[in-house]
Amino acid sequence: MKISIDGLHKAFESRVRLGIMSVLSVNDRVDFNSLKDYLDVTDGNLASHLKALENEEFINLTKTFVGRKPNTQYFITPLGKKAFNDHLKTLEQLIKSQK
Amino acid sequence: MKISIDGLHKAFESRVRLGIMSVLSVNDRVDFNSLKDYLDVTDGNLASHLKALENEEFINLTKTFVGRKPNTQYFITPLGKKAFNDHLKTLEQLIKSQK
């Protein structure tokens, strides 16, 4: 027997990142504060995990202004969608192997 | 909507630890080298993750001798079993929320 943990992507090991990817894969665009509310994390914590996912090119962002206030919207990239789906499939297999 | 990442235990964020817990929850006792084979990791990497799970009291070990060779067997504790099951349940929910 060989446990297939190879299919698990290191970028998704953190639960905050799992959460970010989950939110962004079922919502087209989500701003920073909404992500914060969804995941119940601090600004700094969320920002660092968003940056890590952005560096992997799994998510991207648009910056606009609402009046004078900057508004940053995050969205999942096709690469991120594929990587996250592969990750979830591997997790699903791992869960099945436990039943 | 609130994504429930609270049920995900930090101790299981690493994929090697997910692998260790998976192997130990379906096998009574497993020695170091078998775990290494299962998971395809280096000695140092495996040892440090085993130690982390031992510190959480999620796994424990017995040391015996086979002839003159020391033999260390790892097994999951009831606490570890419960924590791992809760973790998998949360992952399962997260996967379901994506479908």
Side-chain angles (χ1 to χ4, degrees):
Chain A
M1 181 177 84
K2 189 143 190 142
I3 294 281
S4 64
I5 54 171
D6 294 344
L8 296 175
H9 200 294
K10 273 194 95 60
F12 305 134
E13 285 192 337
S14 136
R15 58 191 183 157
V16 176
R17 293 191 206 161
L18 271 183
I20 293 168
M21 295 303 286
S22 299
V23 173
L24 294 184
S25 60
V26 292
N27 297 279
D28 276 353
R29 267 152 209 277
V30 184
D31 64 29
F32 189 88
N33 286 328
S34 304
L35 272 174
K36 225 181 87 177
D37 287 345
Y38 277 133
L39 301 170
D40 201 17
V41 285
T42 62
D43 281 32
N45 193 4
L46 179 58
S48 82
H49 286 301
L50 285 169
K51 193 70 204 164
L53 291 170
E54 205 192 317
N55 289 342
E56 294 278 350
E57 298 181 9
F58 288 165
I59 65 172
N60 210 333
L61 55 92
T62 53
K63 285 188 187 189
T64 54
F65 280 83
V66 178
R68 290 191 165 191
K69 278 183 96 180
N71 182 272
T72 307
Q73 300 261 354
Y74 294 88
F75 58 94
I76 199 167
T77 63
L79 186 68
K81 186 90 190 163
K82 188 185 175 313
F84 188 54
N85 281 343
D86 289 349
H87 185 82
L88 293 187
K89 266 182 214 156
T90 306
L91 283 178
E92 208 166 13
Q93 286 305 317
L94 189 144
I95 292 168
K96 269 188 200 153
S97 75
Q98 299 296 307
K99 289 186 173 172
Chain B
M1 182 177 84
K2 189 142 191 144
I3 294 280
S4 65
I5 55 172
D6 294 343
L8 295 175
H9 201 293
K10 274 195 94 62
F12 304 134
E13 285 193 336
S14 137
R15 58 190 183 158
V16 176
R17 292 190 208 163
L18 270 184
I20 292 168
M21 295 303 286
S22 299
V23 173
L24 294 185
S25 60
V26 291
N27 297 278
D28 276 353
R29 269 153 207 275
V30 184
D31 65 29
F32 189 88
N33 285 329
S34 304
L35 272 173
K36 222 181 90 177
D37 288 345
Y38 277 133
L39 300 170
D40 201 15
V41 285
T42 61
D43 281 31
N45 194 3
L46 179 58
S48 82
H49 287 300
L50 284 169
K51 193 71 206 164
L53 291 171
E54 205 193 318
N55 289 342
E56 294 278 351
E57 299 182 8
F58 288 165
I59 65 172
N60 210 333
L61 55 90
T62 52
K63 285 188 184 188
T64 52
F65 281 83
V66 178
R68 291 194 165 188
K69 279 183 95 179
N71 181 273
T72 307
Q73 300 260 355
Y74 293 89
F75 59 94
I76 200 167
T77 63
L79 185 69
K81 186 90 189 165
K82 184 179 179 321
F84 189 54
N85 281 344
D86 288 348
H87 185 81
L88 293 187
K89 265 181 214 155
T90 305
L91 283 177
E92 208 167 13
Q93 285 305 318
L94 188 145
I95 292 169
K96 268 187 201 154
S97 75
Q98 298 297 306
K99 289 188 173 167

